[in-house]
Amino acid sequence: MADECSPPFQELGGREPGVQEADVRNLAAGDFSAWMTEVQQAIRGERFSDVPCGGCTACCTSSQFIHSAPDETDTLAHIPAAMLFPAPRLPLGHVLVGYDQDGHCPMLIDNACSIYAHRPRTCRTYDCRVFPVARVELDDADKAAIARQTRRWQFSFDSPNARVQHDAVSAAAAHLVQHRQLLADDAVPANTTQLAVLAIEVHDAFVERDPETGMTKITVPASDAVRVMVTSRRRSQRGRTPGH
Ligand code: SF4
């Protein structure tokens, strides 16, 4: 029978001053195994994310810079040129949309995306469920609304192995933080989003399967093996869309 995500995330739902009860209620994140397949496809650029956001606009109102690549011609045709500026450290043609004095995306009008059908690839691939799965906290004050939303997600698990896979992602994230000095400079996650995504990409290395029973458990791989894996993932990712 499916069970639900264990603490600490259930414990993180304490209400902050001014936050409505409806904004901290648990949300069904879906079946974990199905989500894992989909999020890995999204990371590889094979599909877009399908987040049951409901009325949430937290990631549109949290002082985020949104990247668009030169090949996103439809998106770029729908954003006024005055709102775009060159993306630092990326080749010519890569641009960012900033945010207004309230931290809101300028394309968010009346609390809805005014270019939803034409929105940037960054928005189409963003999935805030990566944070609770990797057990990483967004601690920037201007990301508080996203952090609050991430604490609400509750996955269901169809097998004990699915729960091990879930725990392997947080084991991978903790390992990457603890051994970051072993990673090449350009492979060190630059922010919490990159850390959570990288943990998802390498989490398989933290799962050991019993060949006889098929049951899995968490294992700790050699740091060098993780470093090699991270380096090769980073190389294959180069040129793909960065996250928020
Ligand atoms: S913070 Fe999460 S739930 Fe809210 S709009 Fe962004 S992706 Fe959707």
Side-chain angles (χ1 to χ4, degrees), residues 169-219:
V169 178
S170 54
H175 185 95
L176 290 167
V177 169
Q178 198 179 350
H179 298 280
R180 67 171 62 214
Q181 77 281 1
L182 298 177
L183 303 179
D185 285 348
D186 66 347
V188 174
N191 54 44
T192 311
T193 305
Q194 289 184 12
L195 172 62
V197 168
L198 188 56
I200 287 169
E201 290 184 285
V202 302
H203 79 277
D204 282 346
F206 293 77
V207 177
E208 183 180 327
R209 178 179 293 272
D210 183 318
E212 287 183 8
T213 65
M215 298 304 289
T216 57
K217 65 179 183 181
I218 299 291
T219 187

Coordinates of all heavy atoms in Angstrom, one line a residue, residues 169-219:
V169 N 18.5 10.0 -3.1 CA 18.7 11.4 -3.6 C 19.2 12.3 -2.5 O 20.2 13.1 -2.7 CB 17.4 12.0 -4.2 CG1 17.6 13.4 -4.7 CG2 16.9 11.1 -5.3
S170 N 18.7 12.2 -1.3 CA 19.2 13.1 -0.2 C 20.5 12.6 0.3 O 21.4 13.5 0.6 CB 18.2 13.1 1.0 OG 17.9 11.8 1.4
A171 N 20.8 11.3 0.2 CA 22.2 10.8 0.5 C 23.2 11.4 -0.5 O 24.3 11.8 -0.1 CB 22.2 9.3 0.5
A172 N 22.8 11.4 -1.7 CA 23.7 12.0 -2.8 C 23.9 13.5 -2.6 O 25.0 14.0 -2.7 CB 23.1 11.8 -4.2
A173 N 22.8 14.2 -2.2 CA 23.0 15.7 -2.0 C 23.9 15.9 -0.8 O 24.8 16.8 -0.9 CB 21.6 16.3 -1.7
A174 N 23.7 15.2 0.3 CA 24.6 15.4 1.5 C 26.0 15.0 1.1 O 27.0 15.7 1.5 CB 24.1 14.5 2.6
H175 N 26.2 14.0 0.3 CA 27.6 13.6 -0.1 C 28.2 14.7 -0.9 O 29.4 15.0 -0.8 CB 27.5 12.3 -0.9 CG 28.8 11.7 -1.2 ND1 29.5 10.7 -0.5 CD2 29.7 11.9 -2.3 CE1 30.6 10.4 -1.0 NE2 30.8 11.1 -2.2
L176 N 27.5 15.2 -1.9 CA 28.0 16.3 -2.8 C 28.4 17.5 -1.9 O 29.4 18.2 -2.3 CB 27.0 16.7 -3.8 CG 26.7 15.6 -4.9 CD1 25.5 15.9 -5.7 CD2 27.9 15.4 -5.8
V177 N 27.7 17.8 -0.9 CA 28.0 19.0 -0.1 C 29.3 18.7 0.7 O 30.2 19.4 0.8 CB 26.9 19.3 0.9 CG1 27.3 20.3 1.9 CG2 25.7 19.9 0.1
Q178 N 29.3 17.5 1.3 CA 30.4 17.1 2.2 C 31.7 16.9 1.4 O 32.8 17.2 1.9 CB 30.1 15.8 2.8 CG 30.9 15.5 4.1 CD 30.5 14.2 4.7 OE1 29.4 13.6 4.4 NE2 31.3 13.7 5.6
H179 N 31.6 16.5 0.1 CA 32.9 16.3 -0.6 C 33.0 17.2 -1.8 O 33.7 16.9 -2.8 CB 32.8 14.8 -1.2 CG 32.8 13.8 -0.1 ND1 33.9 13.4 0.6 CD2 31.7 13.1 0.5 CE1 33.6 12.5 1.6 NE2 32.3 12.3 1.5
R180 N 32.5 18.4 -1.6 CA 32.5 19.4 -2.8 C 34.0 19.7 -3.1 O 34.2 20.1 -4.3 CB 31.7 20.6 -2.5 CG 32.2 21.5 -1.4 CD 31.5 22.8 -1.4 NE 30.1 22.6 -1.1 CZ 29.1 23.4 -1.6 NH1 29.4 24.3 -2.4 NH2 27.8 23.1 -1.3
Q181 N 34.9 19.6 -2.2 CA 36.3 19.9 -2.5 C 36.9 19.0 -3.5 O 37.9 19.2 -4.1 CB 37.1 20.0 -1.2 CG 37.6 18.7 -0.6 CD 36.4 18.1 0.2 OE1 35.3 18.6 0.3 NE2 36.7 16.9 0.8
L182 N 36.3 17.8 -3.7 CA 36.8 16.8 -4.6 C 36.3 17.1 -6.1 O 36.8 16.4 -7.0 CB 36.4 15.4 -4.2 CG 36.9 14.9 -2.8 CD1 36.4 13.6 -2.5 CD2 38.4 14.9 -2.8
L183 N 35.3 17.9 -6.2 CA 34.8 18.2 -7.5 C 35.6 19.3 -8.2 O 36.1 20.2 -7.6 CB 33.3 18.7 -7.4 CG 32.4 17.7 -6.7 CD1 31.0 18.3 -6.6 CD2 32.3 16.3 -7.3
A184 N 35.6 19.2 -9.6 CA 36.2 20.2 -10.3 C 35.5 21.5 -10.1 O 34.2 21.5 -9.9 CB 36.2 19.9 -11.8
D185 N 36.2 22.7 -10.2 CA 35.5 24.0 -9.9 C 34.2 24.1 -10.7 O 33.2 24.6 -10.2 CB 36.5 25.1 -10.3 CG 37.5 25.3 -9.2 OD1 37.4 24.6 -8.1 OD2 38.5 26.0 -9.4
D186 N 34.2 23.8 -12.0 CA 33.0 24.0 -12.8 C 32.0 22.9 -12.6 O 30.9 22.9 -13.2 CB 33.4 24.1 -14.3 CG 33.9 22.8 -14.9 OD1 34.3 21.9 -14.1 OD2 34.0 22.7 -16.1
A187 N 32.3 21.9 -11.7 CA 31.3 20.9 -11.4 C 30.6 21.1 -10.1 O 29.6 20.4 -9.8 CB 31.9 19.5 -11.5
V188 N 31.1 22.0 -9.3 CA 30.5 22.3 -8.0 C 29.1 23.0 -8.2 O 29.1 24.0 -8.9 CB 31.4 23.2 -7.1 CG1 30.7 23.6 -5.8 CG2 32.7 22.5 -6.8
P189 N 28.0 22.5 -7.7 CA 26.7 23.1 -7.9 C 26.8 24.6 -7.4 O 27.3 24.9 -6.3 CB 25.8 22.3 -7.0 CG 26.5 21.0 -6.8 CD 27.9 21.3 -6.8
A190 N 26.3 25.5 -8.2 CA 26.4 26.9 -7.9 C 25.3 27.4 -7.0 O 25.4 28.5 -6.5 CB 26.4 27.8 -9.2
N191 N 24.2 26.6 -6.9 CA 23.1 27.0 -6.1 C 22.3 25.8 -5.7 O 22.6 24.7 -6.1 CB 22.2 28.0 -6.8 CG 21.8 27.5 -8.2 OD1 21.4 26.4 -8.3 ND2 21.9 28.3 -9.2
T192 N 21.3 26.0 -4.9 CA 20.5 24.9 -4.3 C 19.8 24.1 -5.4 O 19.7 22.9 -5.3 CB 19.5 25.5 -3.3 OG1 20.2 26.3 -2.4 CG2 18.9 24.3 -2.5
T193 N 19.3 24.8 -6.4 CA 18.7 24.1 -7.5 C 19.6 23.1 -8.2 O 19.3 22.0 -8.4 CB 18.1 25.1 -8.6 OG1 17.3 26.0 -7.9 CG2 17.3 24.4 -9.7
Q194 N 20.8 23.6 -8.5 CA 21.8 22.8 -9.2 C 22.2 21.6 -8.3 O 22.4 20.5 -8.8 CB 23.1 23.6 -9.6 CG 22.8 24.5 -10.7 CD 24.1 25.3 -11.2 OE1 25.2 24.9 -10.8 NE2 23.9 26.3 -11.9
L195 N 22.3 21.8 -7.0 CA 22.6 20.7 -6.1 C 21.5 19.7 -6.1 O 21.8 18.5 -6.2 CB 22.8 21.3 -4.6 CG 23.0 20.2 -3.5 CD1 24.2 19.4 -3.8 CD2 23.0 20.9 -2.2
A196 N 20.3 20.1 -6.0 CA 19.2 19.1 -6.0 C 19.1 18.3 -7.3 O 18.9 17.1 -7.3 CB 17.9 19.8 -5.8
V197 N 19.3 19.0 -8.4 CA 19.3 18.4 -9.7 C 20.4 17.4 -9.9 O 20.3 16.2 -10.3 CB 19.3 19.4 -10.9 CG1 19.5 18.8 -12.2 CG2 18.0 20.2 -10.9
L198 N 21.6 17.8 -9.5 CA 22.8 16.9 -9.6 C 22.6 15.7 -8.7 O 23.0 14.6 -9.1 CB 24.0 17.7 -9.1 CG 25.4 17.0 -9.4 CD1 25.6 16.6 -10.8 CD2 26.5 17.9 -8.9
A199 N 22.0 15.9 -7.5 CA 21.8 14.7 -6.6 C 20.8 13.7 -7.3 O 21.0 12.5 -7.2 CB 21.2 15.2 -5.3
I200 N 19.8 14.2 -8.0 CA 18.9 13.3 -8.7 C 19.7 12.6 -9.8 O 19.5 11.4 -10.0 CB 17.7 14.1 -9.3 CG1 16.8 14.5 -8.1 CG2 17.0 13.3 -10.4 CD1 15.7 15.5 -8.5
E201 N 20.6 13.3 -10.5 CA 21.3 12.7 -11.6 C 22.3 11.6 -11.1 O 22.5 10.6 -11.9 CB 22.1 13.8 -12.3 CG 21.3 14.7 -13.1 CD 22.1 15.7 -13.9 OE1 22.7 16.6 -13.3 OE2 22.3 15.5 -15.1
V202 N 22.8 11.7 -9.9 CA 23.9 10.7 -9.5 C 23.3 9.8 -8.4 O 24.1 8.9 -7.9 CB 25.2 11.4 -9.0 CG1 25.7 12.3 -10.1 CG2 25.0 12.2 -7.8
H203 N 22.1 9.9 -8.1 CA 21.6 9.1 -6.9 C 21.7 7.6 -7.1 O 21.8 6.9 -6.1 CB 20.2 9.5 -6.5 CG 19.1 8.8 -7.4 ND1 18.8 9.3 -8.6 CD2 18.4 7.7 -7.2 CE1 17.9 8.5 -9.2 NE2 17.6 7.5 -8.3
D204 N 21.7 7.1 -8.3 CA 21.8 5.7 -8.5 C 23.0 5.1 -7.9 O 23.0 3.9 -7.4 CB 21.8 5.4 -10.0 CG 20.5 5.5 -10.7 OD1 19.5 5.5 -10.0 OD2 20.4 5.5 -11.9
A205 N 24.1 5.9 -7.8 CA 25.3 5.4 -7.2 C 25.2 5.1 -5.7 O 26.0 4.4 -5.2 CB 26.5 6.4 -7.5
F206 N 24.1 5.6 -5.1 CA 23.9 5.4 -3.7 C 22.9 4.3 -3.4 O 22.5 4.2 -2.2 CB 23.5 6.8 -3.1 CG 24.5 7.8 -3.2 CD1 24.8 8.5 -4.4 CD2 25.3 8.1 -2.0 CE1 25.8 9.5 -4.4 CE2 26.3 9.1 -2.1 CZ 26.5 9.8 -3.3
V207 N 22.6 3.5 -4.4 CA 21.7 2.4 -4.2 C 22.4 1.1 -4.6 O 23.0 1.0 -5.6 CB 20.4 2.6 -5.2 CG1 19.5 1.4 -5.0 CG2 19.7 3.9 -4.9
E208 N 22.2 0.2 -3.6 CA 22.8 -1.2 -3.9 C 21.7 -2.2 -3.9 O 20.8 -2.2 -3.0 CB 23.8 -1.5 -2.7 CG 24.5 -2.8 -2.9 CD 25.4 -3.1 -1.7 OE1 26.0 -2.1 -1.1 OE2 25.6 -4.2 -1.3
R209 N 21.7 -3.0 -4.9 CA 20.6 -4.0 -5.1 C 21.1 -5.4 -4.7 O 22.2 -5.8 -5.2 CB 20.1 -4.0 -6.5 CG 19.0 -5.0 -6.8 CD 18.6 -4.9 -8.3 NE 17.9 -3.6 -8.6 CZ 16.6 -3.4 -8.4 NH1 15.8 -4.4 -8.0 NH2 16.1 -2.2 -8.6
D210 N 20.3 -6.1 -4.0 CA 20.6 -7.5 -3.6 C 20.2 -8.3 -4.9 O 19.1 -8.4 -5.2 CB 19.9 -8.0 -2.4 CG 20.2 -9.4 -2.0 OD1 20.3 -10.2 -2.9 OD2 20.3 -9.6 -0.8
P211 N 21.2 -9.0 -5.5 CA 20.9 -9.7 -6.8 C 19.9 -10.8 -6.5 O 19.2 -11.3 -7.5 CB 22.2 -10.2 -7.3 CG 23.2 -10.1 -6.1 CD 22.6 -9.1 -5.2
E212 N 19.8 -11.4 -5.3 CA 18.9 -12.5 -5.1 C 17.5 -12.1 -4.8 O 16.5 -12.6 -5.3 CB 19.5 -13.4 -3.9 CG 20.7 -14.2 -4.4 CD 21.2 -15.1 -3.3 OE1 20.5 -15.2 -2.2 OE2 22.3 -15.6 -3.5
T213 N 17.4 -11.1 -3.9 CA 16.0 -10.7 -3.5 C 15.5 -9.5 -4.3 O 14.3 -9.3 -4.4 CB 16.0 -10.2 -2.0 OG1 16.8 -9.1 -1.9 CG2 16.6 -11.3 -1.1
G214 N 16.4 -8.8 -5.0 CA 16.0 -7.6 -5.7 C 15.7 -6.4 -4.8 O 15.4 -5.3 -5.3
M215 N 15.9 -6.6 -3.5 CA 15.7 -5.5 -2.6 C 16.9 -4.6 -2.6 O 18.0 -5.0 -2.8 CB 15.5 -6.0 -1.2 CG 14.2 -6.9 -1.0 SD 12.7 -6.0 -1.5 CE 12.5 -4.8 -0.2
T216 N 16.6 -3.3 -2.4 CA 17.7 -2.3 -2.4 C 18.0 -1.7 -1.1 O 17.1 -1.7 -0.2 CB 17.4 -1.2 -3.4 OG1 16.2 -0.6 -3.0 CG2 17.3 -1.7 -4.8
K217 N 19.2 -1.1 -0.9 CA 19.5 -0.4 0.3 C 20.5 0.7 -0.1 O 21.1 0.7 -1.2 CB 20.1 -1.3 1.3 CG 21.4 -1.9 0.9 CD 22.0 -2.7 2.0 CE 23.4 -3.3 1.7 NZ 24.0 -4.1 2.6
I218 N 20.6 1.7 0.8 CA 21.5 2.8 0.6 C 22.9 2.3 0.8 O 23.2 1.6 1.7 CB 21.2 4.0 1.6 CG1 19.8 4.5 1.4 CG2 22.3 5.1 1.4 CD1 19.6 5.3 0.1
T219 N 23.8 2.8 -0.1 CA 25.2 2.5 0.0 C 26.0 3.8 -0.2 O 25.5 4.8 -0.7 CB 25.7 1.4 -1.0 OG1 27.0 1.1 -0.8 CG2 25.6 2.0 -2.5

